[in-house]
């Protein structure tokens, strides 16, 4: 009964979403508050229904209800409970339900944020969100129904793809989806603004926290996915320029640009056309990612649905939402009023530079991702656009951006002083040069670009720190004054500093990857293998069995020089239900560096092929991403967003502010 | 039935939630003037703070203030739109209510009706496993035993239960290893050994391999009356080209069987085929004259056997046909007559009539 209730709730949600898409829009057009109010009620109802439905599917998985086709295809009764839960979204149908759940969750959040959103904007946004919800609910119900029954029920399920049987599946997709789908709300904001014709600083302020929220989750989701690929796929890489990874990178880049352009729009009421376009493009790129992953256009770990009819449906959704919103944009954008002015050299100008570079970077990824797909479709030729292309296009675009980043963040609004900004960053630049030179001296004969990359990363971190420091220290005397200045600094300033420092940390981690070393050997127990700073000694190879897999585990002792770091295990598993092998890399974390051991094939005479990597400073890549996300979250708690209670609040009395 | 009541309640609650704001919504215009003015006021304050923090120059701050003030004026001057409960607003509410009332249940029923299965209860695995075993479906019981055996691989009894099931399902390799496991863990009996042999034979595509033969031999050693093992041993002899030995073995097997043993038909069939083949092979190797003689001898033998008593319709038919082909019409006619006497049921008589017509055996009127 639970299954059927969940199914019916999903069908009911479709009807409610149709009402959500139509009625508030009419209310906005006719200035009718009662009709607009239906949008909020519908959004909350829709969320509750989808949540009920999702709960029903989770219950079916937890109870191994093999009368549900989806449960049969993706779970097994011997799975540990945690993987029974995560199996829910480890497949096409279930992940679509998660997608819709998050879509409606954002709708409900917008509906409930009564204080921070203008009513007309809220109604319009909910209507646009309702349309997206209708499309995806229909897609889920009609082509990817997770509640399809299978009778008679088979005695056992087919188990989940072993690569997905990992804690990563519990974390990576939900984070990523909150990011992807979160950008649907900025899209809905843009559509609502275009329909209503009011696009101004109010809009920018309203949309900014939602953009930040989505961006924070997308950042964490991508970082988590990258780390998961790093330790699960067993070849020690953390980014492969795989089309599916690019599909998540593109909305992230566009979203990053959007975060920066909304700042200008909020402050100066300018860059409106561009910001609206970015809001539309960001979600369009999310949709494109969905299309690439689920249409069967390509095969990868992620492409669990390769049904052409589904691809066609998503293509229809893509064309309707992207084409429709761009048409609306083309019609409405020329009507926008001119905003405030600013000089080329100013904080605003720097943010425009940021947008130009990031948009270009996004375009290179777009071309590198889609060109091979389109070429294959048109001519049938298979070409592979791999790291060389992206290294040659993406990095040259990003490096200048990162070089001017610290300058931009220390420029004044409206009209800045480039020389002053340069002077303020001279210290950070000096530190960066010293570090880079030290790196060159220490690793003589190594890769040339790596020390420069390290220097760039240090420049970013130091620049962010000095920028904060200067604002706290300037003109202040004594600790109490400095502390009060630090407290008085807006959270968004802290957030920006952290996010930029996070970028720096990631850059350091990426640059240091150039020093990573790899060694391959065939070891018998007692033999050793050395790579870079690390040496491993194979102790024994033993069989082991888990709840739904058998494993062969190799035990090593790991040494750094003569210092013993402890035991390390690496393994290969065979999951019995699908007879599929996976590698379980053995990773030893040593400060910020890692030693990475992956097992190859056994050689018959008791020996086994082993690969050992020395990955210096690799953890910084993901730590940087987490720091970035932390900065975004910090910015999200800024006073502006907490106190944007428009109807009740009196304007903040200026005199009451502490002198910062 | 209950499920439809739940569906109705869910639908009702959803529609109620949608209609609520329509009945309780305040009659107010929908304009964001307040939002805009408060934002720009706040922005004016922010410019002062930025100025104090030297984030903006004094001249620029002045310009920014002018911009914000201009926007503030424009926002507060904007038209708030029509207000008040009017005829058309009532009509709009009714239309919206109608949409909610029709669209929500209709869409839900349409989609759920197309894809849902309201009659099917949940079947969580634990409930299925706890259900009365006699009512459990076969596949589930099988998987239950398999799970049990995976955890207790030395349960010989379990292996000997599951092995014949595999054999019937055509999973010969699984059956072979299950029988082997049962034997290894102490279930050493003639039945298990014969089963192991059969599984090995069938896994090898019906060839009685050396290892299968060992098992069968062991089974016969433990229980000389094991018909299955003896049968397969006979087949093995036949496959080795030793047809006479196979025939002997099968005859022995038939001889020791009760007449109504379920397998005796199979054995007899096999035996007859083997005999016919052997005879056929023997005949074709003779000279034409001798062939004729040999065939006649066979037919006479059959006639002799049938005269004594018994005989089925196919046997009689074969005899009559053969005699006709050999040109011995008198014998054929007499055989036909005897057959009519012996086979009394109407279907058989009709067959014989048809046969007589086909061979144009004219009988003297009775």
């Amino acid at each position: 009964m639970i299954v059927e209730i969940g199914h019916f709730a999903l069908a009911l949600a479709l009807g409610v979403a149709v009402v959500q898409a139509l009625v508030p829009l009419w209310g906005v057009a006719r200035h009718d508050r009662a009709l607009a109010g239906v949008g909020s009620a519908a959004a909350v109802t829709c969320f509750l229904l989808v949540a009920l439905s999702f709960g029903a599917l989770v219950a079916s998985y937890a109870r191994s209800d093999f009368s549900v086709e989806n449960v049969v295809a993706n779970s097994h009764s011997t799975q540990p409970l945690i993987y029974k839960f995560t199996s829910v979204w480890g497949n096409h149908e279930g992940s679509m339900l998660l997608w819709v759940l998050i879509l409606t969750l954002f709708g409900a959040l917008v509906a409930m944020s009564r204080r921070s959103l203008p009513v007309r904007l809220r109604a319009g946004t909910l209507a646009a969100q309702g349309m997206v919800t209708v499309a995806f609910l229909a897609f889920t119900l009609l082509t990817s129904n997770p509640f399809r029954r299978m009778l008679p029920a088979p005695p056992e399920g087919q188990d989940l793809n072993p690569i997905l049987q990992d804690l990563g599946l519990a974390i990576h997709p939900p984070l990523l989806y909150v990011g992807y789908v979160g950008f649907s709300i900025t899209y809905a904001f843009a559509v609502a603004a275009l329909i209503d014709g009011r696009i101004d600083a109010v809009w920018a302020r309203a949309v900014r926290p939602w953009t930040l929220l989505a961006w924070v989750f997308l950042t964490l989701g991508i970082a988590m996915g990258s780390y998961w690929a790093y330790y699960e796929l067993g070849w020690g890489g953390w980014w492969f320029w795989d089309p599916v990874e690019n599909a998540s990178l593109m909305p992230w880049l566009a979203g990053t640009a959007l975060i920066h352009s909304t700042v200008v729009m909020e402050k100066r009421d300018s860059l409106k056309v561009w910001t609206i376009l970015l809001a539309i493009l960001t979600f369009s790129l999310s949709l494109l990612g969905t299309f690439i992953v689920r249409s069967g256009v390509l095969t990868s770990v992620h492409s669990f649905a390769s049904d052409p009819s589904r691809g066609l449906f998503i293509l229809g959704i893509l064309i309707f939402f992207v084409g429709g919103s761009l048409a609306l944009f083309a019609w409405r954008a020329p009507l926008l009023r001119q905003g405030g002015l600013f000089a080329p050299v100013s904080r605003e100008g720097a943010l425009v530079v940021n947008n130009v570079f990031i948009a270009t970077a996004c375009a290179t990824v777009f071309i590198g991702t889609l060109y091979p797909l389109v070429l294959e479709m048109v001519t049938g030729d298979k070409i592979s656009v791999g790291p060389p292309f992206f290294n040659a296009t993406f990095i040259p675009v990003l490096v200048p951006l990162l070089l001017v980043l610290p300058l931009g963040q220390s420029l004044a609004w409206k009209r800045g002083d480039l020389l002053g900004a340069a002077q303020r960053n001279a210290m950070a630049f000096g530190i960066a040069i010293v570090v880079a030179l030290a790196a060159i001296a220490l690793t003589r004969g190594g890769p040339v670009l790596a020390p420069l990359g390290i220097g760039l990363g240090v420049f970013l971190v130091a620049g962010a720190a000095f920028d904060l420091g200067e604002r706290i220290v300037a003109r202040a005397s004594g600790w109490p004054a400095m502390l009060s200045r630090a407290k008085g600094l807006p959270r968004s300033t802290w957030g920006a500093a952290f996010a930029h420092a996070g970028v720096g940390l990631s850059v350091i981690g990426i640059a240091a990857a150039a020093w990573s070393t790899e060694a391959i050997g065939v070891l018998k127990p007692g033999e050793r293998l050395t790579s870079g700073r690390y040496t491993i000694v194979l102790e024994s190879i033993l069989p082991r069995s888990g709840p739904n897999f058998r494993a062969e585990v190799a035990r090593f002792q790991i040494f750094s020089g003569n210092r013993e770091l402890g035991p390390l295990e690496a393994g290969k598993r065979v999951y019995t239900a699908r007879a599929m092998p996976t590698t379980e890399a053995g990773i030893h974390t040593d400060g910020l560096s890692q030693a990475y051991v992956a097992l190859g094939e056994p050689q018959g005479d008791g020996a086994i092929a082993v690969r050992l990597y020395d990955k210096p400073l690799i953890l910084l890549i993901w730590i940087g991403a987490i720091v970035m996300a932390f900065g975004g979250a910090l910015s999200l708690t800024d006073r502006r967003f907490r106190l944007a209670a428009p109807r009740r609040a009196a304007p903040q009395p200026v005199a009451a502010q502490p002198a910062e | 039935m209950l499920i439809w009541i739940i569906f109705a309640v869910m639908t009702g609650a959803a529609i109620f939630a949608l209609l609520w704001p329509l009945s309780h919504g305040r009659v107010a215009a929908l304009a964001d003037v307040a939002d805009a003015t408060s934002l720009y006021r706040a922005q004016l304050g922010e410019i002062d703070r930025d100025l104090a923090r030297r984030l903006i120059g004094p001249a620029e701050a002045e310009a920014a203030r002018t911009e914000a003030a201009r926007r503030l004026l424009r926002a507060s001057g904007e038209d708030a739109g029509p207000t008040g409960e009017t005829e058309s607003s009532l009509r709009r509410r009714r239309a919206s209510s109608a949409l909610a009332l029709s669209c929500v249940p209709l869409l839900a029923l349409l989609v759920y009706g197309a894809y849902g299965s309201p009659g099917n209860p949940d079947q969580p695995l634990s409930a299925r496993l706890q259900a009365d075993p006699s009512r459990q479906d076969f596949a589930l019981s099988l998987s239950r035993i398999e799970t049990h055996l995976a955890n207790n691989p030395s349960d010989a009894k379990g292996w000997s239960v599951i092995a014949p099931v595999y054999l019937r399902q055509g999973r010969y390799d699984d059956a072979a290893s299950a029988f082997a496991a049962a034997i290894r863990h102490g279930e050493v009996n003639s039945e298990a050994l014969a089963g192991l042999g059969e599984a090995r034979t069938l896994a090898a595509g019906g060839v009685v391999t050396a290892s299968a033969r060992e098992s069968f031999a062991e089974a016969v050693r433990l229980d000389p009356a094991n018909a299955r093992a003896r049968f397969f041993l006979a087949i093995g002899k036949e496959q080795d080209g030793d047809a006479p030995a196979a025939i002997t073995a099968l005859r022995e097997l038939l001889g020791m069987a009760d007449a109504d043993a379920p397998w005796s038909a199979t054995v007899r069939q096999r035996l007859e085929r083997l005999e016919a083949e052997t005879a056929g092979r023997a005949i074709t190797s003779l000279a034409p004259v001798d062939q004729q003689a040999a065939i006649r001898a066979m037919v006479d033998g059959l006639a002799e056997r049938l005269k004594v008593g018994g005989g089925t319709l196919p046997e009689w038919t074969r005899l009559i046909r053969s005699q006709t082909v050999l040109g011995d019409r008198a014998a054929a006619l007499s055989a036909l007559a005897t057959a009519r006497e012996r086979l009394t049921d109407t279907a058989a008589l009709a067959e014989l009539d048809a046969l007589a017509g086909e061979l144009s055996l004219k009988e003297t009127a009775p």
Side-chain angles (χ1 to χ4, degrees):
Chain A
M1 196 127 85
I2 292 178
V3 182
E4 295 304 316
I5 288 177
H7 193 173
F8 187 75
L10 202 61
L12 205 54
L14 179 65
V16 174
V18 169
V19 172
Q20 183 190 338
L22 297 179
V23 176
L25 207 58
W26 198 17
V28 169
R30 292 271 174 273
H31 296 273
D32 190 327
R33 192 182 273 267
L35 296 194
V38 173
S40 301
V44 174
T45 311
C46 205
F47 167 66
L48 291 177
L49 287 170
V50 176
L52 179 64
S53 179
F54 189 77
L57 190 62
V58 171
S60 307
Y61 268 93
R63 303 193 303 167
S64 291
D65 187 337
F66 293 127
S67 67
V68 180
E69 205 178 272
N70 194 244
V71 179
V72 177
N74 301 292
S75 94
H76 195 273
S77 63
T78 56
Q79 272 179 337
L81 192 61
I82 169 80
Y83 296 148
K84 283 186 186 168
F85 280 117
T86 57
S87 296
V88 174
W89 55 79
N91 63 84
H92 169 70
E93 289 83 358
S95 66
M96 278 319 297
L97 193 58
L98 178 67
W99 174 282
V100 176
L101 178 72
I102 295 172
L103 199 64
T104 53
L105 170 69
F106 270 93
L109 286 178
V110 168
M112 288 189 294
S113 61
R114 290 177 183 283
R115 298 196 317 146
S116 60
L117 278 181
V119 264
R120 285 179 68 83
L121 183 58
R122 190 170 72 222
T125 303
L126 287 176
Q129 184 80 352
M131 288 177 206
V132 180
T133 310
V134 169
F136 278 95
L137 269 177
F139 175 70
T140 308
L141 279 164
L142 302 184
T143 72
S144 323
N145 198 320
F147 291 107
R148 202 134 43 128
R149 304 298 289 270
M150 184 181 245
L151 294 166
E156 191 50 271
Q158 294 157 6
D159 209 352
L160 182 67
N161 183 344
I163 292 177
L164 300 180
Q165 297 200 26
D166 187 276
L167 205 60
L169 185 65
I171 308 169
H172 166 60
L175 287 178
L176 199 68
Y177 280 16
V178 171
Y180 265 148
V181 182
F183 282 120
S184 74
I185 214 77
T186 56
Y187 169 87
F189 270 109
V191 170
L194 285 172
I195 290 175
D196 197 21
R198 288 175 57 108
I199 304 170
D200 50 19
V202 179
W203 182 88
R205 172 163 295 190
V207 79
R208 193 167 156 72
W210 301 98
T211 318
L212 271 173
L213 186 67
W215 182 86
V216 165
F217 277 96
L218 191 57
T219 308
L220 289 175
I222 293 175
M224 183 62 222
S226 154
Y227 189 65
W228 186 13
Y230 166 74
Y231 74 71
E232 179 71 33
L233 295 182
W235 58 82
W238 49 272
W239 191 264
F240 306 98
W241 294 109
D242 177 284
V244 178
E245 289 172 326
N246 295 346
S248 69
L249 183 65
M250 288 188 280
W252 186 82
L253 288 169
T256 310
L258 182 61
I259 287 176
H260 290 93
S261 78
T262 47
V263 175
V264 180
M265 185 165 165
E266 189 187 338
K267 282 270 185 190
R268 282 295 88 78
D269 208 20
S270 51
L271 282 194
K272 293 191 223 180
V273 175
W274 171 242
T275 305
I276 293 277
L277 183 63
L278 265 185
I280 290 174
L281 286 183
T282 305
F283 184 58
S284 303
L285 290 169
S286 290
L287 286 180
L288 181 74
T290 312
F291 171 68
I292 289 181
V293 175
R294 294 169 192 275
S295 60
V297 174
L298 50 88
T299 40
S300 90
V301 193
H302 296 82
S303 52
F304 26 57
S306 46
D307 180 345
S309 72
R310 287 171 179 165
L312 221 55
F313 200 119
I314 297 188
L315 195 62
I317 293 178
L318 190 69
I319 290 170
F320 177 78
F321 285 104
V322 178
S325 57
L326 288 180
L328 193 65
F329 175 78
W331 173 39
R332 288 289 204 166
L335 306 178
L336 294 180
R337 282 207 197 93
Q338 180 61 44
L341 300 170
F342 54 85
V345 177
S346 62
R347 180 78 74 86
E348 293 91 332
L351 290 167
V352 171
V353 169
N354 152 301
N355 268 230
V356 170
F357 276 102
I358 293 187
T360 313
C362 187
T364 63
V365 178
F366 185 84
I367 292 168
T369 308
L370 286 204
Y371 177 69
L373 299 181
V374 173
L375 190 74
E376 192 187 334
M377 244 178 278
V378 175
T379 66
D381 294 343
K382 267 189 190 296
I383 62 161
S384 131
V385 171
F389 170 83
F390 293 101
N391 289 344
T393 56
F394 185 74
I395 293 174
V397 175
L398 268 201
V399 167
L401 170 67
L402 298 180
L403 270 176
V404 299
L405 192 159
L407 293 181
Q409 84 190 347
S410 67
L411 280 175
W413 291 104
K414 274 289 243 196
R415 195 170 57 128
D417 172 12
L418 197 56
L419 196 65
Q423 280 169 349
R424 282 194 289 280
N425 283 295
M427 183 83 107
F429 198 69
I431 293 178
I433 297 277
V434 169
V435 171
L437 286 176
I440 291 175
L442 282 176
T443 62
R444 208 132 38 115
V448 187
L449 288 175
L452 297 180
I454 300 273
L456 178 62
V458 170
F459 181 45
L460 288 171
V461 177
F466 279 106
D467 185 52
L468 269 185
E470 197 205 5
R471 289 179 195 196
I472 294 169
V473 176
R475 285 188 309 160
S477 48
W479 285 106
M482 267 156 60
L483 202 64
S484 96
R485 281 179 72 83
K487 270 189 198 154
L489 224 50
R491 293 270 181 87
S492 58
T493 307
W494 282 101
F498 268 101
H500 292 159
V503 175
L505 292 178
S506 289
V507 167
I508 296 174
I510 293 167
W515 286 305
S516 69
T517 56
E518 176 184 356
I520 302 176
V522 176
L523 299 191
K524 283 182 182 172
E527 292 180 337
R528 60 179 55 216
L529 181 66
T530 302
S531 173
R533 296 162 290 167
Y534 301 111
T535 301
I536 49 172
V537 178
L538 178 62
E539 288 199 324
S540 56
I541 302 172
L542 23 122
R544 192 174 288 176
S545 66
N548 53 347
F549 60 85
R550 287 190 307 273
E552 197 162 61
V553 177
R555 294 176 62 94
F556 300 93
Q557 281 292 331
I558 178 161
F559 300 89
S560 173
N562 286 325
R563 189 162 53 97
E564 185 174 334
L565 298 177
L568 182 66
E569 284 189 354
K572 280 176 103 66
R573 290 179 181 174
V574 177
Y575 282 78
T576 35
R578 293 198 180 199
M580 236 177 102
T582 65
T583 55
E584 298 296 314
I587 297 178
H588 181 87
T589 303
D590 179 24
L592 293 171
S593 307
Q594 288 188 329
Y596 185 109
V597 180
L599 291 192
E601 293 307 312
Q603 303 292 313
D605 53 346
I608 192 159
V610 177
R611 277 173 303 147
L612 169 67
Y613 302 86
D614 174 6
K615 303 253 173 202
L617 299 184
I618 186 134
L619 279 182
L620 276 182
I621 295 174
W622 302 292
I623 291 175
I626 291 170
V627 172
M628 273 187 248
F630 175 72
L634 210 56
S635 206
L636 200 55
T637 61
D638 191 82
R639 179 174 46 208
R640 310 212 296 290
F641 308 133
R642 279 176 290 150
L643 286 189
R647 280 183 301 283
R648 295 186 305 165
Q652 292 288 308
V654 176
Q657 293 300 317
E660 288 161 2
Chain B
M1 194 58 218
L2 175 66
I3 196 149
W4 287 106
I5 295 172
I6 295 174
F7 288 172
V9 170
M10 285 165 65
T11 314
I15 294 175
F16 179 76
L18 294 182
L19 295 185
W20 183 262
L22 287 176
S23 57
H24 285 72
R26 282 170 294 147
V27 181
L30 187 61
D32 294 336
V33 176
D35 303 312
T37 51
S38 83
L39 175 102
Y40 292 123
R41 286 218 183 86
Q43 218 167 41
L44 285 173
E46 218 168 77
I47 292 168
D48 290 335
R49 260 173 283 137
D50 280 352
L51 182 62
R53 236 184 292 130
R54 290 193 302 166
L55 271 174
I56 191 166
E60 286 73 30
E62 197 47 49
R65 245 183 242 127
T66 321
E67 273 170 21
R70 204 171 59 230
R71 275 183 240 131
L72 174 61
L73 276 177
R74 192 163 66 212
S76 43
E78 254 167 37
D79 183 20
T83 50
E85 180 117 17
T86 57
E87 188 61 30
S88 62
S89 97
L90 269 178
R91 226 179 312 128
R92 282 198 294 272
R93 286 181 190 204
R94 285 205 195 106
S96 304
S97 310
L99 181 74
L101 276 170
S102 58
C103 160
V104 172
L106 268 182
L107 265 179
L109 280 179
L110 210 66
V111 173
Y112 182 78
Y115 296 98
S117 350
N120 293 326
D122 291 351
Q123 299 186 20
L125 194 62
S126 55
R128 287 165 71 196
L129 290 175
Q130 277 156 19
D132 177 11
S134 67
R135 285 176 46 215
Q136 268 177 22
D137 49 291
F138 169 73
L140 190 65
S141 322
L142 184 63
S143 98
R144 208 166 139 194
I145 300 173
E146 280 175 340
T147 317
H148 166 79
L149 285 174
N151 296 329
N152 308 285
S154 58
D155 179 5
K157 198 82 205 155
W159 286 117
S160 63
V161 167
I162 206 165
V165 178
Y166 285 145
L167 198 58
R168 272 201 296 281
Q169 286 185 330
R171 296 163 62 179
Y172 302 126
D173 286 322
D174 288 338
S177 47
F179 275 120
I183 293 163
R184 191 167 59 245
H185 294 297
E187 197 75 4
V188 188
N189 57 43
S190 178
E191 248 338 279
L193 284 161
L196 176 61
E198 183 174 354
R200 282 176 173 163
T201 304
L202 293 176
V207 176
V208 183
T209 58
S211 63
R213 186 165 310 174
E214 258 170 44
S215 312
F216 288 130
E218 185 66 17
V220 172
R221 195 181 61 77
L222 289 177
D223 174 16
N226 190 324
R228 178 155 60 150
R230 298 180 70 129
F231 176 70
F232 275 101
L233 280 175
I235 303 277
K237 286 183 181 136
E238 181 195 337
Q239 285 168 351
D240 287 347
D242 191 357
I247 290 172
T248 321
L250 287 175
R251 285 215 175 108
E252 264 176 32
L253 185 54
L254 267 182
M256 69 181 219
D258 298 333
D260 54 349
W263 44 264
S264 61
T266 318
V267 176
R268 190 169 297 126
Q269 228 168 35
R270 186 83 187 188
L271 179 60
E272 273 173 21
R273 192 169 62 84
L274 200 55
E275 281 173 340
E277 274 174 12
T278 319
R281 221 177 292 137
I283 290 167
T284 42
S285 60
L286 295 174
V289 183
D290 295 342
Q291 271 187 22
Q292 196 75 9
I295 291 169
R296 185 168 291 281
M298 267 177 62
V299 173
D300 289 346
L302 183 61
E304 205 62 36
R305 184 155 69 82
L306 291 183
K307 199 183 278 175
V308 176
T312 60
L313 177 64
E315 281 170 331
W316 280 110
T317 310
R318 185 153 25 114
L319 179 63
I320 294 164
R321 234 177 239 286
S322 310
Q323 287 172 332
T324 313
V325 170
L326 292 173
D328 197 348
R329 289 184 60 83
L333 276 172
S334 91
L336 185 62
T338 325
R340 279 186 204 280
E341 280 165 26
R342 299 262 174 86
L343 305 169
T344 43
D345 67 300
T346 42
L349 288 176
E351 284 276 322
L352 289 176
D353 282 343
L355 181 71
E358 182 195 329
L359 302 175
S360 49
L361 288 176
K362 296 267 166 42
E363 293 168 88
T364 47

